[in-house]
Amino acid sequence: MAQIHRNDIRNIAIVAHVDHGKTRLVDCMLKQSKVFRDNQQVGQFIMDQNVLEREKGITILAKNTAVIYRGIKINIIDTPGHADFSGEVERVINMADGCLLLVDSVEGPMPQTKFVLRQALVKGLKPIVVINKIDRENSRIDEVLKATQDLFLELVTSADQLDFPVLYASAKDGIAMTEPEAEGKDLVPLFECILKQVPPPVIEEGPLQMLVCSLDYDSYRGKIAIGRIFRGKVAPHDIVVTIDRDGETAQHEVGQVFTHLGLNRLEVDEAQAGDIVAITGLKQVSIGDTIASPEQPEALPSIFISEPTVKMTIGVNTSPFAGREGRFCTSRQLRERLYHELEKNIALQMHDTDSADVFLVAGRGELHLAILIETMRREGYEFQVSKPEAITNIVDGKLLEPVEALTIDTTEEYIGVLTEILSNRQAQLTNMHNDGQGNVRLEFRIPTRGLIGFTSAFLTSTRGEAVMNTLFLGYEPWYGDIGSDRNGALVSAASGVAVTYGLNHAQGRGITFIEPGTHVYEGMIVGLNSRTQDLAVNVCKEKKQTNVRSSTADIAIKLTPAVKLSLEQSLDFIKDDELVEVTPRSLRLRKKLLTQPERLKARHLAQVAEEE
C-alpha cells in the first residue's frame, strides 16, 4: 500500500538523564505556545502532578501533552530520567518519530543518557541534541558536545543518525539558540528545529491499527487506552478488536476518543493515523496490545521491556499490630492491588510463592519498588516487605548476576573512603577523571546486590557532597560473596509502650529509632547496636519507685533525638532475617522471628546446616 505523510503533526519524545531539565523545558514549551490563558497561574513542573513526583523532585511516569506552533500540532512525550523507571521510556518511545536529547552543560552525558539515546536510535527516531543549562557558571559546552558526539558514534545504528542538529538552551529562562554565544529570546529556534528535523508521521492506507502504549483510569469512563494510530481512523461507537501478546482477540465498541492539547484531553469526532489518542470503552486491553479493525485484525510488534533486576516479597502483615492502621490488609486485597499495578507498570513482575499470603515482586531497582510501596501505603494498604535482593540466573551451569555501571561525582577527599566501601561490595574501578579543580568522577563496575543498602553508607561517608548514578549493563558470572557492613540491631525484648528510662539504657548500647510513648512489640527493631551482634533491650522498663530521695533523683533524663528512617532507608537497613512493616501511618522494622528463643533456634539450625 502507498505511504503518505501527514504534515500537520509531529510526534517527539523528550529524553535525558535525571535532573537535566526535561520537565522544566516542557513547562516553557507549554507556556510559550500559549496553551494557557495570560492570567492563568500554572506554576512550575506543570507535568509532574503526581504527589510523589512533587515530593521527590523527579519524573516517575511518562506523560503526554501537545502544543500548536505555526498551525502544526507537536505531540510531546515527557519521560522519566531515573534508571529505575526506564521501563516507562521503553513503553512510550514507540509513539514518537523524533526525540529531544537533553544534556546538562556541566555534567555532560550520564549513564541514563546512554540508555535513553540507545532506545531512541534503535527505534529509528530522529534525534535533536539540546545542551541545557548553559547559564551555569561552570558550564563546559565544548567538552560536553564532544562527549555527546562520541556517545553517538558508539550507539548509532545507521550513518544518517550522526547528522543531528545541536541547540543550546536554558530551560529555566525559556530560551534556545543555534549558537552558544547568541542572545536567546525564546524557544522559537527549538520549535523551528522540531518542524524542520522531526519527520512527519509516515502512515499507510488501510483499516485501523493502533498500538496501546499507556493506560489510565477514570472513575466515570473506566479504563482509558492511550497510544498512537499507525493506520486508519477511529471514531466513537466504532467496533474494534484488541489483539494481545498471545494473539487472542476480543471485540469492543469504542466509547469516546480524545486527543491531547496542553494539560487537557479534547474529545474529538474522529482521529486519524499519526495522532496520539486516548480511547474509552475497551474493558479488556493491556499495554502492548494492538487495537485494529475487525475487517483486517493485524497485530503491530508488541512493546519489549527489559527484565527486572531486583526482587522482594510483599506479604500480609503478621505483626502483633496488624490491622490497626490500614484499611486493606488481606491477601486478596493485596493480590488485586498488585495485579492492577501490573496493568500500568509493565516493568514490574509479580509471582506467587509457596505461601498464599506472600507475593514475590520484581522491579528495576530499589527506588522502583519503593515508589510502589509508598503509593500503596498512601492508598490505605498495610503489609510487610522483605529486603530487596538481586535476581540471578543460571546459564550453562554458571550462576549469573546483574551488573551495573556506577558513576560517582565527588571531590578528592572522599576517593579513599568510597573506594574502600565499594571494594568490599565487589566493585571494580574502571575509570577516574580529575578536572584539576578538586572534582573527581569515579566509574565502577559493580554487581546489583552490591548497590543494595549502599545509598545510606554513600551519603554518610561523603556527607552529602557526592552524586551517584547507575546503568544496568547485563548479566555476568557471580562476582563473589559480599559481607554485611551493618552492625547488629537493638531488638525489643517486651511489648508495651517505650519510656524514657528504658530508652536511656538502650542509648547506652547504640542508636535508637523510636521516641518515648511509642508502642512496641517483642521482636520489633528499636535501634542500631554499637556492635556487630543483635541485642535484646527492654525499652518499656520503668524506674523502680522507692521512698529514698536524693538531690539528683528527679532530674529529667535527656535522650538523644531518635533517628527516623525513611522508606528507602528502611529497605537499605534491614537484613535477610528482618522485615519492614508498612502501614498508612507507620514504618516499623522487625525481625521475621519475633521471640528470642525462635531466633536462637533458627541461628543454631543454620550453623548446623552450614557445617554439614
Side-chain angles (χ1 to χ4, degrees):
M1 294 184 182
Q3 288 186 339
I4 59 174
H5 289 81
R6 186 175 170 190
N7 291 310
D8 64 335
I9 199 167
R10 300 290 189 275
N11 296 318
I12 62 165
I14 299 186
V15 297
H17 185 79
V18 64
D19 199 33
H20 278 198
K22 297 180 305 301
T23 304
R24 192 180 284 272
L25 182 64
V26 175
D27 284 358
C28 294
M29 294 175 74
L30 289 169
K31 292 174 181 177
Q32 294 189 23
S33 60
K34 303 297 183 182
V35 298
F36 304 116
R37 302 187 311 273
D38 291 338
N39 63 344
Q40 188 173 351
Q41 299 296 320
V42 292
Q44 295 181 346
F45 307 113
I46 305 168
M47 297 296 292
D48 287 347
Q49 297 296 322
N50 184 289
V51 176
L52 283 175
E53 289 179 323
R54 292 274 181 173
E55 289 180 6
K56 296 185 177 295
I58 59 173
T59 300
I60 296 173
L61 302 172
K63 305 171 188 69
N64 296 86
T65 187
V67 300
I68 304 291
Y69 178 75
R70 289 209 287 122
I72 297 177
K73 184 175 185 180
I74 303 175
N75 284 313
I76 303 170
I77 307 163
D78 185 20
T79 64
H82 197 286
D84 281 23
F85 308 108
S86 52
E88 293 286 304
V89 180
E90 294 173 311
R91 173 170 67 81
V92 300
I93 208 167
N94 297 273
M95 295 189 282
D97 298 303
C99 70
L100 299 183
L101 176 70
L102 266 67
V103 184
D104 190 293
S105 66
V106 176
E107 295 182 356
M110 298 293 284
Q112 189 66 1
T113 310
K114 182 176 181 178
F115 173 83
V116 295
L117 179 60
R118 181 191 291 122
Q119 295 296 317
L121 295 179
V122 167
K123 295 294 182 183
L125 304 190
K126 177 65 177 179
I128 298 173
V129 173
V130 179
I131 298 180
N132 193 24
K133 303 185 182 182
I134 60 170
D135 54 316
R136 294 179 65 174
E137 292 183 2
N138 52 346
S139 63
R140 45 190 192 96
I141 297 173
D142 293 338
E143 296 93 326
V144 168
L145 178 58
K146 185 178 183 303
T148 304
Q149 291 170 337
D150 292 342
L151 184 61
F152 270 85
L153 282 170
E154 180 184 348
L155 298 178
V156 291
T157 57
S158 61
D160 61 331
Q161 289 176 331
L162 289 172
D163 182 22
F164 56 87
V166 180
L167 294 174
Y168 305 89
S170 170
K172 184 179 71 172
D173 299 327
I175 58 174
M177 299 85 74
T178 54
E179 298 293 337
E181 299 83 9
E183 182 179 353
K185 297 179 180 179
D186 49 33
L187 292 179
V188 168
L190 176 62
F191 286 123
E192 292 291 343
C193 188
I194 291 172
L195 297 192
K196 181 181 178 181
Q197 297 293 333
V198 176
V202 177
I203 49 183
E204 297 180 357
E205 295 179 345
L208 174 67
Q209 200 176 33
M210 168 183 165
L211 181 66
V212 179
C213 297
S214 184
L215 290 178
D216 200 357
Y217 183 82
D218 184 273
S219 56
Y220 175 70
R221 298 184 179 94
K223 189 177 288 188
I224 302 173
I226 302 170
R228 174 175 167 176
I229 303 174
F230 286 88
R231 189 178 70 189
K233 303 176 181 179
V234 66
H237 308 298
D238 281 356
I239 302 301
V240 298
V241 295
T242 55
I243 310 169
D244 64 16
R245 296 173 184 270
D246 300 323
E248 299 293 327
T249 61
Q251 189 166 296
H252 307 270
E253 179 182 345
V254 174
Q256 297 165 291
V257 180
F258 299 89
T259 59
H260 298 86
L261 183 62
L263 302 183
N264 302 317
R265 286 183 182 148
L266 305 179
E267 188 172 359
V268 295
D269 296 330
E270 183 182 80
Q272 305 175 16
D275 282 326
I276 294 176
V277 298
I279 296 177
T280 67
L282 312 181
K283 296 181 180 179
Q284 299 176 12
V285 64
S286 301
I287 293 173
D289 288 0
T290 299
I291 300 174
S293 168
E295 302 169 3
Q296 196 173 334
E298 298 175 343
L300 289 162
S302 191
I303 298 173
F304 171 77
I305 299 293
S306 302
E307 291 295 310
T309 57
V310 176
K311 63 183 179 181
M312 70 185 339
T313 61
I314 296 180
V316 174
N317 188 11
T318 58
S319 85
F321 293 169
R324 292 188 181 184
E325 300 175 355
R327 289 188 295 135
F328 310 111
C329 311
T330 66
S331 59
R332 178 183 61 82
Q333 291 167 331
L334 278 179
R335 176 189 290 271
E336 288 178 356
R337 176 61 182 83
L338 290 172
Y339 271 114
H340 176 67
E341 184 69 23
L342 292 179
E343 293 183 355
K344 299 181 295 182
N345 194 346
I346 57 176
L348 198 74
Q349 292 184 4
M350 190 192 90
H351 307 282
D352 292 324
T353 65
D354 295 336
S355 171
D357 294 337
V358 179
F359 310 100
L360 184 67
V361 178
R364 287 291 180 84
E366 286 181 277
L367 183 60
H368 187 201
L369 297 174
I371 291 295
L372 169 64
I373 294 167
E374 184 65 34
T375 302
M376 290 176 61
R377 73 178 290 223
R378 295 189 183 199
E379 293 172 357
Y381 286 85
E382 180 178 316
F383 50 94
Q384 61 190 24
V385 299
S386 68
K387 179 181 178 62
E389 56 182 286
I391 298 174
T392 58
N393 292 325
I394 296 179
V395 178
D396 297 330
K398 293 183 178 180
L399 181 62
L400 304 182
E401 64 174 334
V403 176
E404 304 192 33
L406 170 65
T407 302
I408 296 177
D409 290 302
T410 184
T411 55
E412 293 175 342
E413 61 181 301
Y414 301 116
I415 295 176
V417 65
L418 285 172
T419 305
E420 182 180 356
I421 293 173
L422 287 167
S423 63
N424 294 330
R425 292 172 172 267
Q426 298 293 345
Q428 300 172 358
L429 182 64
T430 58
N431 192 19
M432 181 171 67
H433 175 72
N434 192 319
D435 67 355
Q437 299 178 356
N439 300 311
V440 180
R441 173 169 291 183
L442 304 171
E443 297 178 11
F444 294 88
R445 201 176 188 94
I446 183 172
T448 298
R449 59 194 171 92
L451 289 171
I452 296 174
F454 171 66
T455 304
S456 296
F458 168 73
L459 293 174
T460 303
S461 60
T462 61
R463 302 174 186 173
E465 297 181 18
V467 177
M468 59 176 277
N469 294 283
T470 60
L471 174 67
F472 174 66
L473 296 176
Y475 279 81
E476 296 181 7
W478 184 261
Y479 270 50
D481 294 332
I482 296 176
S484 174
D485 55 0
R486 198 205 83 182
N487 285 343
L490 297 178
V491 185
S492 178
S495 301
V497 179
V499 296
T500 303
Y501 186 77
L503 284 171
N504 185 50
H505 280 274
Q507 288 192 347
R509 303 288 187 271
I511 302 168
T512 55
F513 299 154
I514 61 171
E515 297 173 340
T518 303
H519 290 266
V520 300
Y521 53 80
E522 184 181 4
M524 179 173 159
I525 297 174
V526 296
L528 179 66
N529 193 5
S530 58
R531 304 195 177 188
T532 56
Q533 70 273 17
D534 294 338
L535 179 66
V537 293
N538 186 1
V539 293
C540 305
K541 183 180 180 181
E542 297 183 357
K543 184 178 181 181
K544 292 182 179 179
Q545 295 182 354
T546 68
N547 291 326
V548 178
R549 298 178 64 86
S550 70
S551 60
T552 59
D554 297 323
I555 296 177
I557 299 173
K558 292 185 178 180
L559 295 175
T560 303
V563 175
K564 298 292 185 180
L565 299 182
S566 66
L567 175 60
E568 289 89 346
Q569 289 172 330
S570 298
L571 294 175
D572 279 349
F573 178 85
I574 59 175
K575 291 184 176 181
D576 294 336
D577 64 337
E578 297 165 354
L579 299 169
V580 180
E581 180 185 347
V582 181
T583 77
R585 287 189 284 171
S586 307
L587 291 173
R588 302 185 185 94
L589 307 180
R590 53 161 288 188
K591 289 290 184 179
K592 288 182 179 179
L593 302 175
L594 295 178
T595 65
Q596 181 77 350
E598 287 178 322
R599 295 195 294 273
L600 291 174
K601 181 179 178 181
R603 190 183 308 160
H604 174 70
L605 292 175
Q607 290 175 348
V608 171
E610 187 176 341
E611 291 173 359
E612 292 178 352

